[in-house]
């Protein structure tokens, strides 16, 4: 076909730039067909490929650098190649799909640029300028040339990208998708290894009726007694009681196409045993198998059980736990035969065990021992943003998790759940407040000896989540489920499910009240991080990773930033970056300049903008006084309560204008204030030392995505996307999306910028402190120091009357600033949470302060 046809042509395989010489000469570019100038705009991608073809070194700087759009960023394990004598990090490589408006092209990202993906700087939906490219050949395949990106400038997020643009090489559109390099058959999820990703994961396995006349069945107890003397095994007829998340065990030096493993706990009337599904069977069967299905297993193998793994206990204590053997299912050796038996064919005489959920209510949780396994059902009242934690130091493997709150109507307090990815991305990435939620196999985590008491649930290897609601499920007749259904129906009918929250910084678990208890809870070689090492800790952090460290220093400055100013100053616009982008510290200095501009704007608001009201003991009645707290604790988000008529009149996205707020504060100050103090306190020590510093690190900026928002069901898709991880493929927005800043904050307070001076008076660091209200009525005079605030955790208050809403934050801000003055020149240990939000946005939060008497 002639190159003048204007249609992209397929290369010889999934990654090639290769075409036979005759085709190459006709088109003038490797591996594709170009548009003639008379037919439309010329493709920049084709121009670059032509330039590479003419270059003897196969590495060029494009004669013209133009912006292209990033359509996909996909990750995979790159196996060792013959020229690799010693395998060095990185373990993973990335294919980046770009579009120039004429064609799309899948390119290989040079591993030296992987850090751009780690930090979520190179991501889908942005504009990118490629300033250096090369051609890499796969020497294991004939003529497999790949376009390699060697240097880039990452720019702004584009409003929209057309997905109708064709691929220059049709092989890049083949299904299933295959990575450009190596022999791997599939891509991995972008941010973890537990989630199934891509089109190799099938969902089409359906139950089928089976004729059992010629099928010999053996019970699990019989198999346990005889398997060592058998060469072949009769079929097993079992029900799935538990299903684990996926385990990916790929290694660069292991030539395995689909190195996956998952565990099924299955049972018949005689016992329960572990079934291990290996390798290619996982993509074929994993998404089709669910807890409760009845399976007929044939042509399996039996092995001695792995001693390290702990099997989940059966819910029915009458069922025998068989731990001496395990059943192995593999595509080969021998080839397995798995049949899903329809429930209507299951006979009572088979005596297969029923599912027996172990539901507990929130009121019962307080009495549950540590490590107790349970199931919960309720409605989501808070959904936190997705976060990541390293599996091992100096590795590229991460866990993905998020914090959620579940209310069930039996307590004023919700379940606090640490929800790790359960290999169900279709649920994990699509949960939002007001959703029915059930989670199984949760483990109780508690510590009653620390202050505040620690009590939450965390997922286990066998945890599964469900969001379809209880109707039609086998557990619907459970008394606890019935009570929940009645409670939620009453709440829904009365329209009371409004006070729900999504996203934001969530500092949990809370830090213990003494440094010794904090130290005993850690498994690290060094408890303290030197001030000079904090910058490296910050720069080593990857996208959505959150890390807690301890430093020593002296608090020298604290400044209150009201909420309206804090959110208004958080700009999401970023400058173009190349591979040698500015360090985090340089970005922070830019951040500091922005903060100084914001400070000047606050001064321009007038004298009230820099004053706060100090509430004396008599200025607030005991029933109206509130304690100010930091981070989530035993009394986090309250169960949703009815909205007042005033609240219902407010727009979910609206915020009062700055001018209106300032006029209101002015009126309150004139009518009510007894005493005023500054929004900022500065130690005399700071005035002495601030000009002699060798380094000042700025990490006190609070970005919009770190502020928890009141959930709006109307904009659930937008809000859900904001607090999920960055997707691997571009998803076009629906219409013109709103701005995150337009959504109401769930916190009525602002934040504090705290400057900590190192003990050697050479390095200083600005960090943020986020206080929040506690619902209990406690005398304001009992707030003795900032330390007391940090002994507790964050809650989001119920709506208050306008007369209190504006006055109280500044009054309580004054209490905190006054408390900090008591720490002048004192050596403290500060517990810091470091958060990488991606795109060079880093925040550091002061989570806890230990005075000398609390350190020992």
């Amino acid at each position: 076909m002639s190159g003048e046809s204007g249609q992209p042509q397929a290369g010889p395989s999934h990654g090639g730039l290769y075409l036979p010489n005759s085709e190459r000469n006709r088109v003038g570019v490797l591996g594709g067909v170009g548009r003639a100038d008379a037919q439309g705009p010329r493709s920049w991608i084709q121009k670059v490929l032509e330039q590479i073809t003419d270059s003897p070194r196969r590495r060029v700087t494009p004669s013209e650098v133009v912006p292209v759009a990033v359509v996909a960023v996909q990750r995979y394990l790159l196996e060792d190649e013959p020229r690799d004598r010693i395998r060095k990090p990185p373990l993973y490589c990335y294919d980046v799909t770009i579009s120039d408006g004429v064609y799309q092209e899948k390119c290989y990202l040079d591993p030296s640029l992987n850090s751009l993906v780690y930090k979520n700087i190179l991501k889908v939906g942005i504009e990118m300028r490629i300033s250096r490219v090369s051609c890499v050949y796969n020497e294991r395949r004939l003529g497999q040339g790949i376009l390699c990106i060697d240097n880039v400038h990452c720019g702004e997020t584009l409003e929209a990208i057309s997905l109708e643009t064709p691929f220059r090489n049709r092989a890049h559109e083949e299904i299933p998708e295959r990575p450009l390099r190596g022999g791997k058959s599939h891509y991995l999820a972008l941010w973890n290894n537990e989630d199934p990703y891509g089109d190799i994961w099938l969902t089409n396995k359906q139950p089928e009726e089976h004729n059992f006349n010629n099928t010999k069945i053996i019970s699990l107890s019989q198999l346990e007694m005889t398997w060592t003397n058998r060469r072949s095994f009769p079929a097993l007829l079992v029900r799935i009681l538990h299903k684990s998340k996926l385990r990916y065990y790929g290694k660069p030096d292991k030539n395995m196409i689909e190195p996956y493993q998952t565990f099924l706990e299955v049972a018949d009337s005689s016992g329960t045993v572990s079934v291990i599904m290996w390798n290619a069977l996982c993509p074929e069967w994993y998404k089709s198998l669910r807890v409760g299905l009845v399976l007929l297993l044939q042509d399996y193998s039996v092995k001695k059980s792995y001693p390290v793994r702990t099997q989940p206990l059966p819910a029915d204590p009458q069922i025998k736990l068989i731990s001496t053997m395990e059943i192995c299912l593999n595509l080969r050796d021998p080839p397995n035969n798995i049949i899903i038996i329809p429930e209507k064919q299951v006979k009572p005489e088979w005596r297969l065990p029923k599912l027996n959920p172990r539901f507990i209510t929130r009121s019962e949780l307080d009495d549950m021992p540590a490590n107790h396994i349970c199931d919960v059902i309720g409605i989501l009242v808070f959904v936190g943003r997705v976060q990541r934690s390293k599996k091992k130091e100096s590795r590229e493997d991460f866990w993905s998790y998020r914090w959620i709150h579940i209310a069930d109507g039996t307590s004023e307090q919700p379940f606090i759940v640490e929800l790790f990815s359960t290999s169900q991305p279709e649920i994990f990435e699509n949960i939002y407040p007001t959703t029915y939620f059930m989670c199984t196999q949760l483990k109780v985590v508690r510590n009653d000896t620390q202050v505040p008491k620690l009590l939450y649930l965390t997922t286990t290897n066998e945890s599964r989540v469900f969001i379809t609601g209880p109707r039609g499920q086998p557990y619907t007749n459970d008394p606890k489920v019935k009570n929940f259904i009645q409670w939620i129906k009453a709440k829904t009918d009365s329209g009371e499910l409004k006070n729900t929250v999504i996203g934001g910084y969530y500092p949990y678990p809370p830090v213990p009240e003494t440094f010794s208890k904090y130290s005993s809870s850690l498994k690290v070689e060094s408890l303290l991080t030197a001030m000079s090492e904090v910058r490296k800790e910050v720069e080593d952090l990857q996208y959505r990773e959150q890390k807690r460290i301890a430093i020593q220093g002296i608090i020298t400055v604290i400044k209150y930033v009201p909420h309206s100013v804090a959110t208004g100053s958080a700009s999401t616009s970023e400058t173009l970056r190349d591979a040698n982008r500015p360090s985090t510290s340089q970005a922070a200095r830019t951040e500091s300049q922005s903060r100084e501009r914001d400070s000047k704007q606050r001064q321009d608001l007038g004298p009230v903008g820099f004053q706060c009201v100090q509430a004396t003991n008599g200025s607030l009645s005991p029933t109206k006084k509130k304690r100010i707290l930091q981070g989530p604790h035993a009394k986090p988000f309250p169960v949703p309560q009815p909205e007042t008529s005033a609240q219902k009149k407010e727009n979910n996205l609206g915020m009062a204008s700055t001018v209106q707020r300032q006029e209101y504060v002015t009126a309150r100050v004139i009518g009510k204030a007894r005493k005023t103090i500054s929004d900022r306190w500065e130690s005399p020590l700071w005035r002495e030392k601030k000009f002699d510093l060798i380094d000042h690190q700025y990490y006190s900026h609070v970005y919009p995505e770190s502020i928890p928002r009141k959930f709006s069901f109307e904009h659930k898709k937008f809000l859900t996307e904001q607090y999920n991880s960055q997707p691997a493929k571009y998803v076009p927005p629906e219409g013109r999306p709103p701005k995150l800043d337009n959504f109401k904050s769930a916190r009525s307070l602002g934040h504090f910028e705290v400057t900590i001076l190192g003990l050697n008076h050479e390095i200083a660091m600005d960090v943020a402190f986020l206080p929040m209200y506690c619902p209990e009525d406690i005398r304001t005079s009992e707030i003795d120091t900032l330390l007391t605030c940090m002994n507790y955790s964050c809650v989001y208050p119920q709506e208050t009357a306008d007369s209190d809403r504006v006055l109280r934050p500044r009054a309580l801000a004054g209490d905190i600033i006054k408390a900090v003055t008591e720490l002048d020149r004192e050596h403290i240990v500060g517990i810091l949470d470091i958060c990488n939000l991606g795109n060079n946005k880093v925040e550091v939060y002061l989570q806890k302060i230990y005075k000398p008497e609390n350190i020992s």
Side-chain angles (χ1 to χ4, degrees), residues 67-306:
V68 295
V70 179
V71 179
V73 179
Q74 295 170 289
R75 182 177 68 108
Y76 57 101
L77 182 71
L78 181 61
E79 62 202 30
D80 285 335
E81 297 192 354
R83 59 186 174 86
D84 296 332
R85 295 183 180 179
I86 301 176
R87 181 66 196 176
K88 298 179 180 179
L91 293 175
Y92 302 103
C93 295
Y94 297 90
D95 290 343
V96 179
T97 302
I98 60 173
S99 171
D100 64 3
V102 179
Y103 287 115
Q104 291 187 48
E105 183 79 11
K106 186 181 289 187
C107 308
Y108 175 71
L109 185 70
D110 188 273
S112 66
L113 303 181
N114 280 8
S115 61
L116 295 176
V117 181
Y118 298 160
K119 307 285 187 181
N120 199 38
I121 295 172
L122 199 170
K123 57 186 178 180
V124 299
I126 66 166
E127 176 184 272
M128 183 172 72
R129 296 174 185 264
I130 303 173
S131 55
R132 193 165 185 81
V133 296
S134 59
C135 181
V136 177
Y137 283 94
N138 186 340
E139 296 179 353
R140 291 180 175 176
R141 294 194 181 99
L142 185 62
Q144 292 295 296
I146 300 166
L147 185 64
C148 177
I149 299 173
D150 295 328
N151 203 2
V152 298
H153 297 255
C154 295
E156 300 284 350
T157 299
L158 298 169
E159 287 189 6
I161 300 172
S162 173
L163 296 181
E164 301 300 320
T165 306
F167 277 91
R168 183 196 62 85
N169 185 342
R170 282 184 180 170
H172 293 170
E173 297 178 291
E174 290 179 356
I175 296 176
E177 288 186 291
R178 296 181 62 190
L180 291 177
R181 299 191 65 183
K184 301 300 178 187
S185 66
H186 68 290
Y187 289 106
L188 299 168
L190 185 56
W191 303 113
N192 66 51
N193 289 342
E194 284 69 47
D195 288 343
Y197 171 83
D199 40 30
I200 68 166
W201 297 88
L202 306 181
T203 58
N204 59 353
K205 302 294 183 181
Q206 299 296 327
E208 55 183 88
E209 292 196 6
H210 179 75
N211 186 349
F212 286 90
N213 292 336
N214 298 316
T215 303
K216 184 178 179 180
I217 306 293
I218 187 172
S219 70
L220 290 175
S221 60
Q222 289 178 318
L223 183 64
E224 181 189 22
M225 293 184 290
T226 62
W227 74 271
T228 55
N229 300 321
R230 291 177 177 271
R231 291 188 177 181
S232 61
F233 307 103
L236 293 172
L237 186 62
V238 292
R239 188 186 297 277
I240 301 175
L241 300 184
H242 299 293
K243 172 184 170 183
S244 77
K245 61 186 173 185
L246 285 167
R247 174 178 173 259
Y248 179 79
Y249 63 95
K251 304 291 182 186
D253 56 346
K254 302 290 185 182
N255 188 23
M256 306 190 77
I257 303 301
E258 291 158 349
Y260 287 97
Q261 176 196 70
T262 189
F263 286 85
L264 304 174
E265 301 301 321
V266 302
D268 63 10
S269 60
S270 66
T272 178
V273 73
S274 295
V275 173
I276 309 177
M277 186 174 288
W278 292 92
N279 303 332
L281 274 185
C282 290
E284 182 180 354
W285 280 94
Y286 184 82
K287 297 188 77 171
S288 297
L289 297 179
R290 66 178 187 274
V291 173
L293 288 181
V294 175
L295 302 180
L296 181 69
L297 304 179
Q298 302 175 86
D299 302 322
Y300 53 88
S301 61
V302 184
K303 294 182 180 179
K304 187 177 179 179
S305 63
Y306 190 58

Side-chain angles (χ1 to χ4, degrees), residues 360-362 365 374-387 400-408 413-422 428 431 437-445 454-460 463-466 506-510 632-634 636-637:
I360 67 166
T361 64
R362 178 58 184 85
L365 177 62
C374 60
D375 306 333
V376 301
I377 188 169
I379 192 164
L380 292 173
V381 292
F382 165 71
V383 175
R385 68 187 177 197
V386 175
Q387 299 175 192
S400 293
Y401 69 100
R402 68 198 315 167
W403 291 94
I404 61 174
H405 290 181
I406 307 170
D408 69 354
Q413 309 309 317
F415 293 103
I416 301 177
V417 180
E418 184 182 29
L419 180 67
F420 284 88
S421 172
T422 58
F428 186 80
I431 59 174
F437 192 84
M438 188 182 101
C439 190
T440 64
Q441 292 294 111
L442 290 167
K443 182 174 69 174
V444 177
V445 179
L454 189 65
L455 180 61
Y456 66 94
L457 302 172
T458 187
T459 48
T460 61
S463 291
R464 310 302 295 166
V465 294
F466 307 90
Y506 189 86
Y508 204 82
H633 84 114
F637 308 102

Side-chain angles (χ1 to χ4, degrees), residues 495-560:
E496 296 180 17
L497 293 174
K498 299 294 183 182
N499 191 26
T500 55
V501 180
I502 188 169
Y505 165 64
Y506 189 86
Y508 204 82
V511 182
E513 74 277 15
T514 65
F515 187 65
S516 60
K517 289 184 179 181
Y518 170 79
S519 305
S520 64
S521 66
L522 300 179
K523 297 178 181 179
V524 295
E525 294 181 4
S526 177
L527 289 174
L528 293 169
T529 301
M531 275 281 200
S532 58
E533 298 170 342
V534 173
R535 189 186 303 281
K536 184 178 186 305
E537 293 282 356
V538 168
E539 292 178 348
D540 286 348
L541 227 57
Q542 295 194 25
Y543 172 59
R544 287 287 178 86
E545 185 180 1
Q546 187 164 308
K547 187 173 183 179
R548 187 166 284 179
I549 63 172
I551 63 165
Q552 295 185 86
I554 304 166
I555 294 182
T556 54
V557 180
I558 182 168
K559 180 171 62 176
Y560 174 58

